[in-house]
Amino acid sequence: MVRPTLSTTTSTPSDVAADVLVLGVRAGTDGGSPAVVPSATGALDALADLDLGSIGVTGAKDQLVRLPGTGVAAAGIALVGLGSTVDAASLRAAAGSAVRQLPQVSSIALALPTDSAELVDAALEGAALGSYAFTRHKGTGTTAPARGDQRIEVVAPADTAADSTVRPAIVADAAALVRDLVNTAAGDLGPADVADVAVAQAEGLPLTVEVLDEQQLEEQGFGGILGVGRGSERPPRLVVVRYEPASAAKHLALVGKGITFDSGGLSLKPAASMLGMKTDMTGAATVLAATIAAARLGLDTKVTAWLCLAENMPSGSATRPGDVLTLKNGKTVEVTNTDAEGRLVLGDGMAAASLEQPDAIVDVATLTGAQVVALGDRTTGLMGSDDLVARVRAVADAVAEPIWPMPLPEELDARLASDVADMVNATVGNPAGGMLLAGKFLERFVGEGIPWAHLDIAGPSEHKGGGYGWLGKGATGVMVRTLIGLAEELQSR
């Protein structure tokens, strides 16, 4: 993980020494013209007479226009679009967009309207998120962004705390960890490898890590994880990461789907659908990163992450359609589709988490293609207990991660009925409400009376188009900021 140096400065925009000085432009509304918004330490006189329209500047989100650094200490100027609203979300996105689009610039100064601690935090966080670059698989001689040598400053009011960069950097590191893991080729990252990363990341932090191998999974009754991982030469793992501050009054359990590669098993995916299936462990990466961030931030909330890791492959030892698995809570599942495997590993993890009677369980998974059909590539599907769903939605809205609550209709229970077991894992040939049916399945593995929320991130976990905000192509780290925010909120209750 390579991250630039983050800092704040109280200099006026004209006095900031940087390779590029970035200023924000608000888009015109109701027929008005776009305008450069003064920074927290003042306006830039050098741009006072500039006709923005004549050079094509509109203030639209993600627009970046570079100008010569006339009349300023900086070598050059860049104007980044804020859209029509100036708030924490637009500043986070604009800062991230500017940094993302200036990968080879050694020093960047963001002179945005950060006139409060909240807005400074947003700009710093966006800048740190936008600096992400994944270079692990680049070959010799490939030109890659020199992010490790980059210096990023945010112009901030004089009363900004000296440690204002700490939280944004930790949050960005958490997102970067998710993105690094998910972007890594599946051949280089099996279940045991993810477990090794968890152990390494916990070193030096107030965390304990327990790794259950295939023998221990068998002894302790984790039939779902074992059943999914049975077809692979790389055996499954369950990793439990615990952050337990002595004074914590609340316990948040996070359960993540960790399918390091999903071929579909014997219910084999078509070739095109198999591309990108290295991302099917995003849920596990997300709950790991959120828990590490909670420890680094010193939150007063107990957080336990359950990483349910397996590789879903076809072989002579693979689980067959029609086989019956017994999950951790003793319930049996007839496997009607081996490509509906995520809910099997999550069922084990949620049942195990329930035994500890946490105050809330949140599971995270790239679970269903139906989520993408219903909500698209950027909006996470949210289901579960009404009160917790409302709280998760509020936190996600506050950090500008698009999310939408979905129902869990009772009539779907009938579709989960099995002739030979307690339930089936899928209704082959009936795709209606697939995201909701998966939620109804998972609901059966939540302990009685425990608030629960389910996050289906199948679409938002990976960005496949052109860049926007702080995101380029590849893994997004979606929902890690929401989970950190939820843990922060719980410590005050």
Side-chain angles (χ1 to χ4, degrees), residues 123 162 196 201 205 364 369 407 452 457 467 489:
D196 289 343
Q201 288 288 323
L205 294 172
V364 189
W452 158 67
I457 59 171
E489 190 212 38

Side-chain angles (χ1 to χ4, degrees), residues 194 209 227 246 400:
V194 178
V209 181

Side-chain angles (χ1 to χ4, degrees), residues 41 61 76 135 219 222 250 301 313 319 324 340 409 428 435 452 477 480 488:
T41 59
K61 292 180 179 179
T135 59
E219 293 167 0
F222 289 94
K250 299 290 184 179
T301 301
M313 299 290 281
T319 293
V324 176
V428 179
M435 173 171 50
W452 158 67
V480 72
E488 288 175 324

Side-chain angles (χ1 to χ4, degrees), residues 151-234:
R151 179 172 58 85
I152 301 172
E153 288 183 304
V154 170
V155 174
D159 59 354
T160 301
D163 62 351
S164 60
T165 62
V166 173
R167 185 187 183 280
I170 290 173
V171 171
D173 282 350
L177 174 59
V178 177
R179 296 164 81 177
D180 278 351
L181 288 169
V182 177
N183 285 330
T184 298
D188 294 323
L189 196 72
D193 300 309
V194 178
D196 289 343
V197 170
V199 172
Q201 288 288 323
E203 188 173 350
L205 294 172
L207 295 165
T208 60
V209 181
E210 179 184 10
V211 179
L212 275 63
D213 62 19
E214 61 271 34
Q215 287 79 24
Q216 292 165 310
L217 291 169
E218 183 77 45
E219 293 167 0
Q220 297 183 34
F222 289 94
I225 297 174
L226 284 167
V228 173
R230 189 173 291 145
S232 175
E233 293 183 351
R234 300 193 288 185

Side-chain angles (χ1 to χ4, degrees), residues 52-430:
L52 297 179
S54 68
I55 57 173
V57 176
T58 66
K61 292 180 179 179
D62 290 312
Q63 184 187 49
L64 187 79
V65 177
R66 296 187 65 172
L67 306 171
T70 305
V72 297
I77 296 172
L79 302 179
V80 65
L82 297 169
S84 59
T85 304
V86 178
D87 57 14
S90 65
L91 288 177
R92 186 186 296 110
S97 181
V99 171
R100 173 178 59 80
Q101 295 182 72
L102 298 168
Q104 304 291 356
V105 175
S106 296
S107 61
I108 302 170
L110 299 165
L112 301 172
T114 50
D115 53 5
S116 70
E118 178 191 11
L119 298 182
V120 171
D121 184 270
L124 285 164
E125 186 176 286
L129 290 165
S131 69
Y132 176 79
F134 182 74
T135 59
R136 174 170 175 173
H137 298 310
K138 296 292 185 181
T140 302
T142 301
T143 301
R147 294 295 194 183
D149 298 325
Q150 201 170 46
R151 179 172 58 85
I152 301 172
E153 288 183 304
V154 170
V155 174
D159 59 354
T160 301
D163 62 351
S164 60
T165 62
V166 173
R167 185 187 183 280
I170 290 173
V171 171
D173 282 350
L177 174 59
V178 177
R179 296 164 81 177
D180 278 351
L181 288 169
V182 177
N183 285 330
T184 298
D188 294 323
L189 196 72
D193 300 309
V194 178
D196 289 343
V197 170
V199 172
Q201 288 288 323
E203 188 173 350
L205 294 172
L207 295 165
T208 60
V209 181
E210 179 184 10
V211 179
L212 275 63
D213 62 19
E214 61 271 34
Q215 287 79 24
Q216 292 165 310
L217 291 169
E218 183 77 45
E219 293 167 0
Q220 297 183 34
F222 289 94
I225 297 174
L226 284 167
V228 173
R230 189 173 291 145
S232 175
E233 293 183 351
R234 300 193 288 185
R237 295 287 185 269
L238 176 64
V239 178
V240 187
V241 183
R242 299 182 187 278
Y243 170 59
E244 302 179 282
S247 58
K250 299 290 184 179
H251 179 193
L252 174 62
L254 304 175
V255 184
K257 173 186 174 183
I259 305 302
T260 57
F261 186 78
D262 182 18
S263 71
L266 291 178
S267 302
L268 195 67
K269 292 178 183 290
S273 299
M274 215 178 295
L275 289 174
M277 282 299 104
K278 67 179 184 179
T279 68
D280 216 17
M281 43 68 69
T282 306
T286 303
V287 301
L288 170 64
T291 305
I292 289 169
R296 291 185 64 192
L297 290 167
L299 301 187
D300 199 18
T301 301
K302 178 180 177 180
V303 183
T304 307
W306 302 77
L307 284 63
C308 308
L309 303 165
E311 185 175 49
N312 189 24
M313 299 290 281
S315 73
S317 60
T319 293
R320 296 164 286 269
D323 284 355
V324 176
L325 305 176
T326 302
L327 272 62
K328 178 64 177 176
N329 62 354
K331 293 182 178 180
T332 58
V333 181
E334 179 187 2
V335 180
T336 51
N337 183 355
T338 64
D339 196 24
E341 82 299 326
R343 64 202 69 179
L344 298 174
V345 301
L346 285 174
D348 269 347
M350 290 165 61
S354 294
L355 295 176
E356 300 188 354
Q357 289 295 307
D359 295 286
I361 294 176
V362 180
D363 77 84
V364 189
T366 49
L367 203 60
T368 65
Q371 180 277 323
V372 184
V373 173
L375 296 175
D377 293 326
R378 297 191 187 181
T379 302
T380 293
L382 170 63
M383 288 155 270
S385 312
D386 289 344
D387 288 348
L388 185 58
V389 162
R391 290 170 67 179
V392 171
R393 184 183 183 186
V395 173
D397 288 345
V399 300
E401 291 199 302
I403 198 166
W404 196 252
M406 301 295 288
L408 291 171
E410 290 184 4
E411 66 267 19
L412 293 181
D413 284 322
R415 284 175 51 190
L416 291 173
S418 168
D419 293 335
V420 298
D422 294 332
M423 68 196 84
V424 296
N425 75 321
T427 53
V428 179
N430 184 358

